[in-house]
Amino acid sequence: MFPSTIICLLLLIIGAVAADCPEGYEVVGSKCIHRYTGGYLTYDEAATYCTQHFGRLPVLKDCASFTDVANYVNDGYTINYNKGYWLGATNGTLTNVWQWSDGAAVQMGGPYWALNAGDNLATEPGGGTSQNCAYIGDVSGYLIRDYGCDDTDFPVCSRPSVDGLCQHPFVLVGTQCVHIVPAEYTWPEARTQCGLVGGDLIVVDDCDQYHKVALYLDEQGYPDYWIGGSDEAVEGQWRWVDGSPMTMGLPYWATSTEGPQEPDNPGKQNCLELNCAWMYRFSSAWCSDLRRVICEADPI
């Protein structure tokens, strides 16, 4: 094969895999990353900021993505000294297990986590149940540390490239890779089923995308589905499985002409469903109920 032909083929391959990031995001390794430097935000505020900008706090499950993002934010800005950037990882107060926002377990120890600031040279996380959110910052050489979720850092947001494809069995619905499990499961079992195919229960936090998903569900003909929201951790505080707070009221939550707006039955119905009785608007249900499952995965 002639050298010029090889060069052309290499250029075609590089062009095929290069990320095409939306406006406001930059290519950082295999991810599209947006950094906010306009002020310090709590973890919830940072998660909300990212969803408002069509991304999520970053999930860094391998050395390559962790190194790419850490090097990206470590650009010598002295204004951020002793501060850092939130990551999409939290410590469940009920389970005491660190998880990424897609439900995967956070990898512990080196090379990811920093040494504890104490004298015992233990590895972070070291804040117990008082520091349940993860960040990276200058003070630790951009290794992961735990931090109080009500403390403040900068958001850094991540989203898949806009030209990503969905891996089987997922199909593209609007901007999300979606897979419906037609068998019925409880809500905890539904998360497990999504994990088996490389995803998690779907997060629907953008109104236009929610509309596309609702139309897609209407075409499938099933009456109800589990999606990725609950208030099991703290009663009355509805959150998505990625840890971000859920928008309450219209246009998402169902309203009955004869009763109060969903969610109802506080303390009893703690998991989120989409039900055709409500035109696939949000409604609370018992987590032990059986529903079909809507999974979501990142494009490839």
Side-chain angles (χ1 to χ4, degrees):
M1 185 177 290
F2 294 105
S4 60
T5 305
I6 295 174
I7 292 172
C8 289
L9 287 174
L10 287 173
L11 288 174
L12 285 172
I13 293 171
I14 292 171
V17 299
D20 181 14
C21 294
E23 183 178 357
Y25 283 78
E26 299 181 57
V27 177
V28 177
S30 62
K31 296 181 178 293
C32 295
I33 298 294
H34 165 72
R35 180 176 57 187
Y36 171 77
T37 57
Y40 298 121
L41 303 178
T42 67
Y43 184 89
D44 281 356
E45 291 169 342
T48 299
Y49 173 85
C50 287
T51 58
Q52 290 172 343
H53 289 78
F54 310 106
R56 298 183 187 174
L57 292 172
V59 172
L60 309 177
K61 292 188 289 189
D62 57 80
C63 278
S65 61
F66 171 75
T67 304
D68 288 337
V69 172
N71 286 334
Y72 171 72
V73 297
N74 180 17
D75 60 359
Y77 279 1
T78 56
I79 190 174
N80 298 334
Y81 185 71
N82 285 345
K83 284 290 186 177
Y85 296 87
W86 291 116
L87 300 180
T90 55
N91 179 29
T93 53
L94 296 181
T95 61
N96 197 32
V97 173
W98 280 88
Q99 288 183 301
W100 292 109
S101 60
D102 65 359
V106 175
Q107 58 274 40
M108 306 305 291
Y112 301 100
W113 289 82
L115 286 177
N116 193 298
D119 295 328
N120 58 359
L121 298 182
T123 305
E124 291 277 345
T129 57
S130 65
Q131 296 181 342
N132 294 318
C133 293
Y135 81 104
I136 53 176
D138 189 300
V139 68
S140 304
Y142 292 92
L143 297 175
I144 304 175
R145 297 184 70 93
D146 57 343
Y147 206 28
C149 300
D150 290 330
D151 291 320
T152 56
D153 271 327
F154 284 11
V156 58
C157 309
S158 173
R159 62 170 294 172
S161 61
V162 296
D163 58 354
L165 301 175
C166 298
Q167 187 169 7
H168 180 78
F170 291 85
V171 297
L172 190 64
V173 178
T175 58
Q176 291 175 291
C177 291
V178 175
H179 169 60
I180 291 177
V181 180
E184 295 183 324
Y185 295 93
T186 66
W187 192 87
E189 292 171 342
R191 289 201 73 180
T192 300
Q193 290 300 310
C194 289
L196 292 175
V197 291
D200 201 351
L201 285 171
I202 192 171
V203 172
V204 195
D205 51 13
D206 173 73
C207 189
D208 292 330
Q209 175 60 19
Y210 161 64
H211 176 63
K212 294 172 184 176
V213 170
L215 292 178
Y216 176 72
L217 298 181
D218 194 46
E219 295 172 354
Q220 310 311 307
Y222 297 125
D224 43 43
Y225 305 86
W226 288 126
I227 64 173
S230 78
D231 71 340
E232 281 194 300
V234 180
E235 175 60 36
Q237 294 185 17
W238 284 83
R239 292 181 178 273
W240 294 108
V241 290
D242 66 4
S244 59
M246 195 177 302
T247 301
M248 307 306 292
L250 295 175
Y252 298 102
W253 289 85
T255 303
S256 170
T257 56
E258 299 178 356
Q261 186 175 51
E262 293 280 340
D264 58 3
N265 294 312
K268 299 178 181 179
Q269 296 182 328
N270 297 316
C271 291
L272 190 62
E273 69 166 355
L274 298 183
N275 196 306
C276 67
W278 307 102
M279 296 178 65
Y280 297 111
R281 293 188 179 94
F282 297 0
S283 58
S284 58
W286 279 270
C287 300
S288 57
D289 285 348
L290 299 178
R291 300 284 186 267
R292 292 170 178 83
V293 185
I294 313 176
C295 306
E296 174 190 6
D298 287 338
I300 56 176

